[in-house]
């Protein structure tokens, strides 16, 4: 595996965690963070075509078991990136992740912002808000740097690795070079006074090939992961809007961040510093202060539901879902690569009784009928979603799980079973089975084709869709990606409303994609992928409106309208654009 392949392997692993800026990233200068008024020209353009991002992330380190993810998922990657992840995971065992902005703390800050947004039209008021949010970003950055510095100072191995790395005899020692790179990066970052200066550094960070260069790149990304996971979620939203909004051309009308729940798969049920209930409440405030521009998807974990049934968990996952849907969440997020199939877990266990017998798995849940219990929990979710027309987004790339066997559970065959039993389920196949079907390999294209085959005009897959989350091929290999996508669309042309042109949606997998360093072209490159303006219009917005049920009279739309009425939020741009007639 060459350096580029190792790097891509690491980046794909980081998707769930949102690692920013591994390499030079010209888009991140020390810009001022300005809270956007919902009708500000910077974010609102009613003349621009509808644009919805159905796949993004804005969480931080208090929302997920970071150390477990580093050790069980990131460290599985091959080569230098895996070594760096393992080193950092061990290094941060005692880090005070609780110093990252917890959900309840951010909720309090969002309440202050909500009050200050009343002064949006006043110049001095806008300056006061800007100063407040910039202070939030810098405070979180300093906390992250302090934890990294403390960890470095307590590690004799890392401090000694720097002089060992200069020994010619150890020049090809992967572990030594990775340790030295981590130590150097922490020391370098510790000298940066502000969040803005940090991003300025990332903007000019060098790239390269060879073991030392790969080690530096991987360390930079891993450290950036830590810093990002000490940051406020609201700051991440600002970074996103500042990157992709182009007033007068195209702005993001609706952003759908995906929340996650790994507690029972990776941490034996140990709760995160920000509880899921608190995370939902924070995302509710995010929807309010952005005027309906940001609406999250709440996670459902069938293993949590099993634990709740055994009285091992204080609350269930379905209970969380029902509450979140009344608090502004649009739909539900599923993450099969953690260790469950969309359906068919009972049969899986019958074929392989020891499938879940892993050293990190909670022994209390290693039941002879665990597969049946997982299926029961998932059926309860699907029934609720079908009955209430609630959309689901699922990670369908075979990646980012704690084992290869678990990652394989994201496959299309399991979703075929779920759709057969629950026809009409609203489902978005996140990542479309694989993120690189425009590359040289044929496997990714074949997986995407399998998921496209589940899309039907009527019956089981009548509400099945897919998104372009982390389709870096559209940036790195635009022409080959364009050719592959055109071929797949041509193969589905005869399916009418179930053709890919009517089911493929725009998604970025934000906080992952910015690691590429040239991701400012992501949206623009997709604009150049489609020859037909009508197909492009569907891809960027209309298909998402259909998937999520955002049109007049649909249950999701009615639910969100009640949310807006309750919080006195005027009709957001996405709603007004969906309702206005579309020009040819």
């Amino acid at each position: 595996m060459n350096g580029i392949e190792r790097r891509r392997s690491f980046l794909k692993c980081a998707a769930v965690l949102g690692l920013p800026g591994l390499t030079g990233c010209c888009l991140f200068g020390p810009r001022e963070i300005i809270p956007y008024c919902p009708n500000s020209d910077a974010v609102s353009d009613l003349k621009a075509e509808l644009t919805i991002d159905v796949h993004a992330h804005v969480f931080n380190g208090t929302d997920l078991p970071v150390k477990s993810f580093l050790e069980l998922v990131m460290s599985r990657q091959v080569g230098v990136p895996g070594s760096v992840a393992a080193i950092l995971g061990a290094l941060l065992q005692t880090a005070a992740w609780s110093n990252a902005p917890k959900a309840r703390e951010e909720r309090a800050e969002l309440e202050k912002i909500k009050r200050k947004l009343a002064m949006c039209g006043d110049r001095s008021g806008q300056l006061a808000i800007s100063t407040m949010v910039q202070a939030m970003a810098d405070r979180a950055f300093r906390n992250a740097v302090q934890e990294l510095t403390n960890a470095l100072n307590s590690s004799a191995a890392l401090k000694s690795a720097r002089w060992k790395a200069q020994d010619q005899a150890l020049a090809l020692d992967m572990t030594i070079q990775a340790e030295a790179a981590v130590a150097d990066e922490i020391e370098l970052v510790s000298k940066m006074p502000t969040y803005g200066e940090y991003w300025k550094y990332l903007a000019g960070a060098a790239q390269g090939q060879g073991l030392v260069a790969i080690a530096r790149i991987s360390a930079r990304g891993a450290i950036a992961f830590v810093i990002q996971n000490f940051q406020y979620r609201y700051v991440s939203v600002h970074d996103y809007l500042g990157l992709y909004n182009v007033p007068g051309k195209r702005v993001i009308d609706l952003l759908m961040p995906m929340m996650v729940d790994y507690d029972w798969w990776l941490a034996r049920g140990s709760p995160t510093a920000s509880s899921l209930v608190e995370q939902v409440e924070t995302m509710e405030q995010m929807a309010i202060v952005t005027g309906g521009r940001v609406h999250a998807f709440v996670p459902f974990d069938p293993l949590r539901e099993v634990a709740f049934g055994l009285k091992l968990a204080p609350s269930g996952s379905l209970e969380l879902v029902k509450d979140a849907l009344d608090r502004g969440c649009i739909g539900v997020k599923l993450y099969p690569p953690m260790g469950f199939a969309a359906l068919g877990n009972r049969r899986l266990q019958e074929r392989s009784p020891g499938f879940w017998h892993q050293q990190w798995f909670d022994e209390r849940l290693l039941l002879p009928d665990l597969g049946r219990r997982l299926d029961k929990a998932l059926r309860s979710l699907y029934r609720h979603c079908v009955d209430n027309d609630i959309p689901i987004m699922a990670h369908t790339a075979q990646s980012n799980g704690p084992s290869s066997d678990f990652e394989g559970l994201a496959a299309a065959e399991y979703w075929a079973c779920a759709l057969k039993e629950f026809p009409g389920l609203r489902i978005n196949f996140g990542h479309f089975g694989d993120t690189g079907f425009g590359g040289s390999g044929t496997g990714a294209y074949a997986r995407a084709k399998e998921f496209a085959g589940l899309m039907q005009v009527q019956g089981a897959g009548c509400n099945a869709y897919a998104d372009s989350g982390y389709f870096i091929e559209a940036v790195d290999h635009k022409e080959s990606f364009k050719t592959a996508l055109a071929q797949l669309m041509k193969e589905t042309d005869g399916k009418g409303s179930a053709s890919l042109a009517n089911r493929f949606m725009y998604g970025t997998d934000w906080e992952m994609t910015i690691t590429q360093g040239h991701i400012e072209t992501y949206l623009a490159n997709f604009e150049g992928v489609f020859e037909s303006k009508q197909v492009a219009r569907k891809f960027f917005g209309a298909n998402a409106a259909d998937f999520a049920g955002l049109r007049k009279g649909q249950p999701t739309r009615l639910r969100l309208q009640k949310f807006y009425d309750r919080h006195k939020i005027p009709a957001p741009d996405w709603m007004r654009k969906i309702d206005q007639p579309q020009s040819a």
Side-chain angles (χ1 to χ4, degrees):
M1 179 176 285
N2 63 31
I4 294 175
E5 290 171 336
R6 282 195 294 266
R7 174 162 163 69
R8 286 185 174 176
S9 176
F10 174 63
L11 294 176
K12 287 182 179 180
C13 168
V16 154
L17 297 172
L19 300 180
L22 291 186
T23 64
C25 190
C26 62
L27 56 100
F28 282 114
R31 64 184 183 279
E32 185 179 49
I33 299 173
I34 303 173
Y36 299 117
C37 301
N39 61 351
S40 166
D41 290 341
V43 294
S44 177
D45 186 350
L46 291 174
K47 294 181 180 180
E49 292 188 343
L50 176 69
T51 305
I52 298 175
D53 185 343
V54 299
H55 189 159
H57 303 283
V58 296
F59 46 65
N60 73 13
T62 70
D63 298 339
L64 67 163
V66 179
K67 290 181 288 188
S68 297
F69 194 92
L70 281 167
E71 295 168 355
L72 297 176
V73 179
M74 289 183 70
S75 62
R76 289 183 56 242
Q77 303 308 296
V78 298
V80 177
S83 295
V84 168
I87 292 165
L88 197 59
L91 184 68
L92 295 173
Q93 280 294 326
T94 59
W97 290 99
S98 59
N99 284 338
K102 288 183 279 294
R104 60 179 177 273
E105 296 168 358
E106 179 152 356
R107 196 165 67 252
E109 295 293 337
L110 290 174
E111 286 283 359
K112 296 177 185 177
I113 290 172
K114 183 173 68 172
R115 292 193 294 270
K116 288 184 176 294
L117 283 174
M119 301 185 295
C120 272
D122 181 81
R123 190 176 184 83
S124 61
Q126 181 66 275
L127 179 60
I129 301 171
S130 176
T131 300
M132 173 186 172
V133 178
Q134 189 66 58
M136 289 169 56
D138 288 341
R139 184 166 64 247
F141 172 70
R142 286 193 295 271
N143 283 339
V145 170
Q146 187 60 58
E147 289 303 322
L148 286 165
T149 302
N150 291 344
L152 175 61
N153 290 338
S154 64
S155 174
L158 258 65
K159 287 189 289 186
S160 64
R162 283 187 285 186
W163 62 263
K164 289 181 180 179
Q166 298 176 21
D167 187 334
Q168 191 170 4
L170 298 174
L172 297 180
D173 189 307
M174 185 185 302
T175 300
I176 292 296
Q177 294 298 335
E179 288 177 339
V182 169
D184 287 343
E185 188 70 15
I186 292 175
E187 183 172 332
L188 187 62
V189 171
S190 70
K191 298 175 182 178
M192 298 174 192
T194 66
Y195 186 61
E197 287 299 316
Y198 172 63
W199 287 116
K200 184 178 180 180
Y201 153 68
L202 290 179
Q207 303 184 51
Q209 295 294 320
L211 180 59
V212 175
I214 294 296
R216 289 303 303 268
I217 290 170
S218 299
R220 193 177 306 135
I223 298 305
F225 152 69
V226 174
I227 291 173
Q228 182 67 27
N229 277 275
F230 271 90
Q231 194 50 266
Y232 286 89
R233 303 154 193 83
Y234 188 63
V235 172
S236 292
V237 168
H238 273 77
D239 284 338
Y240 175 94
L241 294 176
L243 173 61
Y244 288 119
N245 284 341
V246 183
K249 184 176 181 182
R250 187 182 291 275
V251 297
I252 306 300
D253 299 299
L254 179 58
L255 174 65
M256 300 180 183
M258 302 293 146
M259 300 167 63
V260 296
D261 179 6
Y262 303 147
D263 293 0
W264 284 94
W265 293 106
L266 300 182
R268 295 185 170 87
S270 297
T272 50
S274 293
S275 72
L276 285 164
V277 171
E278 291 170 337
Q279 292 177 47
V280 167
E281 292 171 347
T282 298
M283 294 313 296
E284 177 183 27
Q285 286 298 315
M286 193 78 73
I288 294 170
V289 299
T290 60
R293 195 171 300 276
V294 179
H295 283 282
F297 273 53
V298 60
F300 178 86
D301 176 18
L303 192 60
R304 178 181 294 278
E305 196 74 1
V306 171
F308 176 62
L310 296 170
K311 299 187 182 336
L312 298 176
S315 60
S317 206
L318 188 56
E319 176 185 340
L320 175 76
V321 165
K322 292 178 179 179
D323 177 64
L325 292 171
D326 286 333
R327 291 179 173 272
C329 282
I330 285 182
V332 180
K333 169 68 186 292
L334 288 176
Y335 211 93
M338 278 295 112
F340 64 92
L343 213 57
N345 293 283
R346 179 182 62 80
R347 291 191 297 274
L348 178 67
Q349 191 171 26
E350 289 173 351
R351 294 195 303 268
S352 179
F355 184 79
W356 287 287
H357 286 252
Q358 307 291 342
Q359 62 180 2
W360 65 85
F361 207 90
D362 193 321
E363 294 182 356
R364 297 172 295 175
L365 295 173
L366 290 175
L367 308 170
D369 65 341
L370 175 59
R372 180 190 65 81
R373 290 171 184 262
L374 290 171
D375 284 341
K376 180 182 177 181
L378 287 161
R379 285 188 171 100
S380 295
L381 171 70
Y382 298 151
R383 175 49 54 202
H384 181 71
C385 289
V386 169
D387 289 347
N388 295 278
D389 208 28
I390 297 165
I392 294 175
M393 184 276 202
H395 180 109
T396 63
Q398 295 182 31
S399 61
N400 297 334
S403 76
S404 297
D405 287 341
F406 282 17
E407 290 174 345
L409 298 177
E413 62 181 289
Y414 300 109
W415 280 107
C417 294
L419 290 174
K420 181 179 180 180
E421 188 169 334
F422 296 91
L425 183 71
R426 288 191 178 277
I427 179 68
N428 168 23
F429 302 129
H431 302 295
F432 206 1
D434 198 302
T435 61
F437 72 76
S440 58
T442 59
Y445 186 91
R447 283 188 286 275
K449 189 173 179 178
E450 288 179 1
F451 280 103
L454 298 180
M455 301 170 187
Q456 301 171 353
V457 175
Q458 296 179 332
C462 64
N463 289 317
Y465 293 75
D467 74 43
S468 64
Y470 192 66
F471 272 47
I472 298 301
E473 299 296 335
V475 177
D476 288 344
H477 305 286
K478 180 180 176 181
E479 291 307 314
S480 61
F481 172 77
K482 183 177 179 179
T483 299
L485 181 59
Q487 176 61 32
L488 192 54
M489 285 192 165
K490 183 178 180 180
E491 291 182 32
T492 67
D493 272 350
K495 296 176 67 174
S497 63
S499 66
L500 192 57
N502 293 301
R503 300 296 180 90
F504 195 36
M505 304 178 293
Y506 178 66
T508 59
D509 202 8
W510 165 255
E511 284 191 5
M512 165 50 182
T513 49
I514 58 175
T515 58
Q516 292 297 312
H518 53 286
I519 203 60
E520 73 277 8
T521 65
Y522 193 93
L523 190 151
N525 276 35
F526 266 108
E527 289 181 313
V529 163
F530 304 99
E531 299 292 342
S532 166
K533 290 184 178 180
Q534 183 180 9
V535 172
R537 184 179 295 122
K538 290 179 178 180
F539 170 75
F540 282 111
N543 290 346
D546 292 334
F547 154 68
L550 299 179
R551 300 191 183 279
K552 280 184 177 180
Q554 293 185 298
T556 299
R557 169 70 173 263
L558 295 173
R559 177 163 45 84
L560 290 176
Q561 186 60 64
K562 290 180 180 178
F563 177 81
Y564 297 149
D565 292 344
R566 186 162 64 247
H567 296 286
K568 297 180 174 56
I569 300 173
D573 290 355
W574 65 260
M575 184 178 288
R576 298 170 68 182
K577 289 184 179 183
I578 287 174
D579 293 347
Q580 72 183 18
Q582 294 292 328
S583 58

